[in-house]
Amino acid sequence: MVQTIGPLIVSFAIFGSAANANTNISVESVKIPYLILGVAFIAVAIFLKMSSLPDRPALVEASADDTKSIKGSALQYPQLVLGMIAIFVYVGVEVSTASNLPAYMEKDLGFAIKDIAPYISLYWASMMIGRWTGAVEAFTDNISTQKVLRFIAPYLAFGIFLAVNAIAKHDLAPFYVYALIILVLIAADMASKGNPARMLLIFSAIGITALLIGMFTKGMVSVYAITSVGLFCSTLWPCIFTLAVSGLGKHTSQGSSFLIMMIMGGGIISWAQGAVSEFTGIQHSYIVGIICFAYLAFYAWKVASILRSQGINFDQKISGGH
């Protein structure tokens, strides 16, 4: 809940209230929201310290008789090494897409800063929409109920976005059409059938499509396309993480630490897209994001065969096999 709603609240606090007050956002205008955010992080840290959390999550392990998968270091597992790169580019495309959107809307499309705020909050709300959609299986094992929740959860999250922006007195009319784009997310989630490799492949392919549309169209079509990347990034972290640490056994904790380190991609790839934009313009600099999604699609295809060679088949796990 905090991970999904938090960015929307912070986006509103920084871009919404500050931008509505004036057109020049200074350090002073964003100081209080960041102080509040810092206090929130400290509170969460204290909560986690006092909580009884398991040492490691329940993960898919290789079959006991597969001695070939037993290695001396986490870095000897190809699913982890390739997964580290996947986390790097995933966080990179997620952050760089959002961080370059305001400049694109202001410089290329002529938006005023105060009018950009709702679209930034929509991007982060899209992350929430996708995560709520992907989490429905955690609430019930009933297939029929899951199908219903797959439609209810994303639109409930979308309703929260609309409510927050209504409170901020933003014009909601431009956002109603986004409800149709959410249908693409729902269809993609259903097509994945709970298989993380398949979900990663499908969502990466749609992410590429969204960025291509954003690069080669004009006006609001391009804005909606780029914003929708938040929908298709939303569930990729758990997909990559699950695939990368599956079969690591006693090396799971070490492998998890390596994966966490790769969030540095958010800063590096954002910088890379900014550098590319100096030559291509902001709109066409999203080619960097397409390259990131292309690698994620490759990883989804490659890791499935790697894990099968180690005796791990997610389709069998999902259907109840061993």
Side-chain angles (χ1 to χ4, degrees):
M1 178 72 75
V2 174
Q3 187 179 15
T4 53
I5 298 179
L8 183 58
I9 296 175
V10 172
S11 176
F12 164 68
I14 295 174
F15 294 102
S17 58
N20 286 334
N22 52 75
T23 57
N24 295 314
I25 299 178
S26 66
V27 173
E28 290 298 317
S29 67
V30 299
K31 181 171 66 174
I32 292 178
Y34 272 113
L35 288 174
I36 294 172
L37 182 60
V39 172
F41 274 121
I42 293 173
V44 171
I46 294 173
F47 171 77
L48 292 176
K49 180 65 176 178
M50 299 175 63
S51 300
S52 299
L53 297 176
D55 290 334
R56 66 175 65 177
L59 299 165
V60 178
E61 301 292 347
S63 58
D65 59 347
D66 188 6
T67 58
K68 293 185 294 184
S69 67
I70 301 175
K71 302 181 186 296
S73 168
L75 291 176
Q76 292 181 278
Y77 290 84
Q79 65 264 39
L80 175 66
V81 175
L82 295 175
M84 289 168 63
I85 302 173
I87 287 289
F88 183 92
V89 300
Y90 153 70
V91 178
V93 70
E94 175 187 297
V95 173
S96 64
T97 300
S99 62
N100 285 281
L101 182 58
Y104 167 60
M105 294 180 67
E106 181 186 6
K107 296 179 180 179
D108 291 17
L109 301 181
F111 275 73
I113 293 178
K114 66 182 181 64
D115 296 326
I116 296 175
Y119 296 92
I120 303 304
S121 66
L122 177 59
Y123 180 86
W124 294 113
S126 295
M127 301 289 292
M128 177 175 68
I129 292 168
R131 287 171 182 167
W132 284 25
T133 305
V136 298
E137 294 180 2
F139 295 96
T140 179
D141 293 328
N142 186 283
I143 302 299
S144 298
T145 304
Q146 288 179 7
K147 290 180 179 179
V148 174
L149 289 177
R150 277 194 172 92
F151 283 89
I152 294 177
Y155 287 108
L156 179 61
F158 184 54
I160 292 174
F161 159 77
L162 293 175
V164 169
N165 281 277
I167 293 172
K169 298 182 179 180
H170 293 145
D171 181 14
L172 301 183
F175 303 110
Y176 296 135
V177 68
Y178 204 73
L180 298 177
I181 302 176
I182 294 174
L183 290 175
V184 178
L185 168 74
I186 296 171
D189 182 70
M190 295 178 68
S192 69
K193 299 180 180 179
N195 184 313
R198 186 181 297 117
M199 177 175 286
L200 180 57
L201 180 60
I202 293 173
F203 278 49
S204 296
I206 300 176
I208 291 172
T209 303
L211 286 180
L212 285 172
I213 294 173
M215 286 173 61
F216 296 106
T217 58
K218 300 293 184 180
M220 291 309 301
V221 174
S222 67
V223 172
Y224 290 132
I226 294 172
T227 303
S228 72
V229 170
L231 292 174
F232 308 116
C233 278
S234 58
T235 61
L236 299 193
W237 174 279
C239 290
I240 298 168
F241 209 99
T242 298
L243 294 166
V245 300
S246 291
L248 266 61
K250 66 179 182 179
H251 301 298
T252 298
S253 295
Q254 182 187 39
S256 299
S257 298
F258 285 133
L259 289 171
I260 295 298
M261 290 169 58
M262 292 297 103
I263 64 174
M264 71 178 78
I268 295 174
I269 291 179
S270 293
W271 170 83
Q273 183 172 347
V276 170
S277 70
E278 296 293 326
F279 301 95
T280 65
I282 299 174
Q283 185 175 18
H284 291 99
S285 71
Y286 279 101
I287 186 64
V288 173
I290 290 176
I291 293 172
C292 291
F293 275 124
Y295 176 81
L296 293 175
F298 162 76
Y299 178 67
W301 167 77
K302 183 66 175 179
V303 75
S305 61
I306 291 172
L307 293 178
R308 279 196 299 270
S309 71
Q310 298 176 8
I312 301 171
N313 189 319
F314 278 95
D315 283 324
Q316 290 181 357
K317 294 290 181 180
I318 293 166
S319 62
H322 298 285

